[in-house]
Amino acid sequence: MSHTCRYLIVLILAILLFPVAFGPRLFLSSLPFASLITRRTMSSSSAYSQELYIAQLAVQRASILTKRVFHEKAKGTVDKNDKSPVTIGDFGAQALIIAALRHNFPDDAIVAEEEAAQLRTDENLKNTIWDLVRSTKLDDAASEQALGGAIRDADEMLDLIDRGNSTGGNKGRIWAIDPIDGTKGFLRGGQYAVCLGLMVDGDVKVGVLGCPNLPVDDKAPLTADIGSNGTDDEGHGVLFSAVLGQGATSRPLAASSSEEGRAISMRSIPSDSLADATFCESVEAGHSAHGDQASIAQKLGITKPSVRMDSQAKYGSIARGAGDIYLRLPVKATYQEKIWDHAAGDLIVREAGGQVTDIHGNRLDFGIGRTLANNKGVVAAPAASHAKVLAAVQEVLNAKQ
Ligand SMILES: Nc1ncnc2c1ncn2[C@@H]1O[C@H](COP(=O)(O)O)[C@@H](OP(=O)(O)O)[C@H]1O
Ligand SMILES: [Mg+2]
Ligand SMILES: [Mg+2]
Ligand SMILES: [Mg+2]
């Protein structure tokens, strides 16, 4: 065999063996469809896998608490003169999530919606919440252990709730918590979400949404949901998750942590045929401008009526293709959206193939504090049609001026 021939054989062998030697991920990542492959493999060794695992368990545990609150309220066990049951759910869920984060990531900062001041002056309220918190556990002992187990006493619970007082910013690791998003939906037995996101240097890296009243089935048609008395059957309760660069998934909220999530993606609708699109918006007319949103839909040729639902369940729903567009146009020019109302949903939609901006076309800026002070409103749509939707938003808003 000639020298050149031997050289050629070695070269061919090296090319063939390269993927084996350096791992299939490296090989696959060089292929054009790599993002599709990595989207389906949120493996336990990927970046932020521990954060995702803990966030999912923490949201699952907090959702168990909120469901208990809903059903105890429905049975009339909460005194009418007491603080509202949603307040009980908010405080309890926030305490449980922060306990899990403090145990696992003690150096991380936390921005959470609620604070404990009210509880410190109301013994009755404090004890009601403490009763719920100390008795809410995950079924699986190992998972409960991973979250650090029980909170010591009611005073520690109050201190944990107040650990959510970070001012936020664009430095380091900061968790954003909305223990119950869509308070009004929760009270009506409609949609609500337990929301948790991790930002690193102002960029959302991990997002988890627990939606106890959404259908588990990703293909279930999106229906207006202003209240259904709290569904609590096998077919409801979904957990949406995303890690930056790794895609978005959904799985039953009641599933064990070992159950792999299903990859979800937004529906791809050609931007010239938006007539078939489904758009969703808040139930509350005070939270987004229904009139402007109807005009935008009309401009886009959308014929179906909007689907109104509370909370970040809207982000989850469009991310799995149950709807297509989420519009949240400001009612008052002075209102600043809160980071905990959007952090998880923004990432889940983007990782599912969507684009999320404000009404000016800017990405949501989570790095300037507890609010999205640099943004106005939200426009979320499949990436390919976002520009067209945004143009319609701006036409409608400009025509008002
Ligand atoms: N004027 C306003 N404009 C926009 N959002 C508002 C608002 N007043 C309250 N909100 C926010 O709207 C959230 C609910 O959103 P949605 O309308 O999509 O269900 C509330 O979250 P909470 O329910 O956690 O308080 C609250 O933070
Ligand atoms: Mg909220
Ligand atoms: Mg809330
Ligand atoms: Mg609130």
Side-chain angles (χ1 to χ4, degrees):
M1 201 186 286
S2 79
H3 215 70
T4 326
C5 202
R6 244 183 276 145
Y7 175 73
L8 270 176
I9 289 170
V10 170
L11 191 69
I12 289 165
L13 277 175
I15 291 169
L16 287 175
L17 290 174
F18 179 83
V20 178
F22 293 96
R25 272 186 157 258
L26 190 52
F27 175 60
L28 291 172
S29 66
S30 65
L31 298 175
F33 50 87
S35 65
L36 287 178
I37 294 164
T38 45
R39 266 160 202 266
R40 275 166 209 289
T41 54
M42 255 192 225
S43 82
S44 55
S45 58
S46 342
Y48 297 107
S49 58
Q50 183 63 9
E51 286 82 353
L52 175 68
Y53 169 64
I54 295 301
Q56 288 174 326
L57 288 181
V59 166
Q60 280 181 301
R61 185 170 70 172
S63 303
I64 295 172
L65 183 141
T66 60
K67 285 172 70 164
R68 288 184 58 198
V69 171
F70 183 82
H71 289 292
E72 284 169 26
K73 168 188 117 29
K75 286 188 207 123
T77 52
V78 175
D79 193 321
K80 270 192 167 173
N81 297 324
D82 212 329
K83 300 290 185 233
S84 83
V86 69
T87 308
I88 293 166
D90 287 340
F91 289 129
Q94 181 161 319
L96 284 177
I97 295 173
I98 296 184
L101 296 180
R102 294 283 307 152
H103 177 78
N104 284 281
F105 312 109
D107 298 329
D108 292 0
I110 300 170
V111 170
E113 184 181 0
E114 313 300 342
E115 56 177 23
Q118 214 182 332
L119 281 59
R120 295 187 191 278
T121 57
D122 187 335
E123 194 74 8
N124 222 7
L125 178 61
K126 177 177 90 174
N127 290 335
T128 309
I129 297 162
W130 173 235
D131 261 358
L132 269 164
V133 165
R134 70 189 170 87
S135 56
T136 301
K137 292 184 172 44
L138 290 167
D139 285 344
D140 168 38
S143 299
E144 182 61 29
Q145 200 56 38
L147 296 186
I151 296 171
R152 207 174 41 243
D153 54 31
D155 288 332
E156 190 190 14
M157 175 186 78
L158 299 188
D159 292 344
L160 285 169
I161 291 170
D162 279 336
R163 287 278 186 172
N165 65 354
S166 162
T167 51
N170 62 0
K171 297 273 177 299
R173 290 167 50 106
I174 306 175
W175 294 86
I177 304 173
D178 192 339
I180 294 182
D181 180 41
T183 316
K184 295 190 173 158
F186 173 72
L187 282 169
R188 282 193 293 263
Q191 294 305 328
Y192 73 96
V194 177
C195 316
L196 182 55
L198 171 66
M199 300 170 305
V200 180
D201 299 335
D203 210 17
V204 187
K205 302 288 189 185
V206 179
V208 175
L209 290 177
C211 300
N213 290 343
L214 271 186
V216 171
D217 181 5
D218 290 329
K219 301 277 167 281
L222 196 62
T223 50
D225 190 352
I226 56 160
S228 56
N229 243 351
T231 39
D232 197 16
D233 57 70
E234 291 265 305
H236 288 81
V238 61
L239 186 73
F240 296 106
S241 308
V243 175
L244 187 67
Q246 296 176 35
T249 64
S250 84
R251 74 175 197 218
L253 190 51
S256 90
S257 59
S258 58
E259 186 170 323
E260 280 273 314
R262 307 169 294 255
I264 54 169
S265 58
M266 297 195 67
R267 209 158 34 195
S268 72
I269 31 169
S271 62
D272 56 358
S273 66
L274 284 173
D276 290 338
T278 300
F279 94 90
C280 47
E281 59 186 353
S282 292
V283 174
E284 294 300 319
H287 293 180
S288 71
H290 287 170
D292 293 344
Q293 286 153 198
S295 308
I296 293 158
Q298 204 181 8
K299 242 184 212 317
L300 291 169
I302 294 176
T303 48
K304 286 183 249 175
S306 73
V307 176
R308 290 186 179 160
M309 57 165 66
D310 301 278
S311 85
Q312 292 192 56
K314 292 186 280 298
Y315 281 117
S317 294
I318 65 167
R320 63 176 173 173
D324 303 297
I325 297 167
Y326 167 23
L327 297 175
R328 189 182 189 88
L329 271 71
V331 176
K332 278 194 233 120
T334 50
Y335 183 77
Q336 294 186 352
E337 295 283 346
K338 309 296 183 287
I339 63 170
W340 52 79
D341 281 335
H342 302 281
D346 171 89
L347 181 67
I348 289 166
V349 165
R350 288 186 297 110
E351 283 298 317
Q355 181 58 280
V356 184
T357 68
D358 68 3
I359 56 170
H360 302 298
N362 299 319
R363 284 269 311 275
L364 304 186
D365 182 355
F366 293 95
I368 52 160
R370 291 172 67 89
T371 70
L372 296 171
N374 282 348
N375 299 107
K376 281 284 167 251
V378 176
V379 179
S385 1
H386 186 274
K388 180 142 191 206
V389 176
L390 185 64
V393 167
Q394 294 177 346
E395 268 180 58
V396 166
L397 293 183
N398 290 339
K400 278 175 56 174
Q401 283 168 1

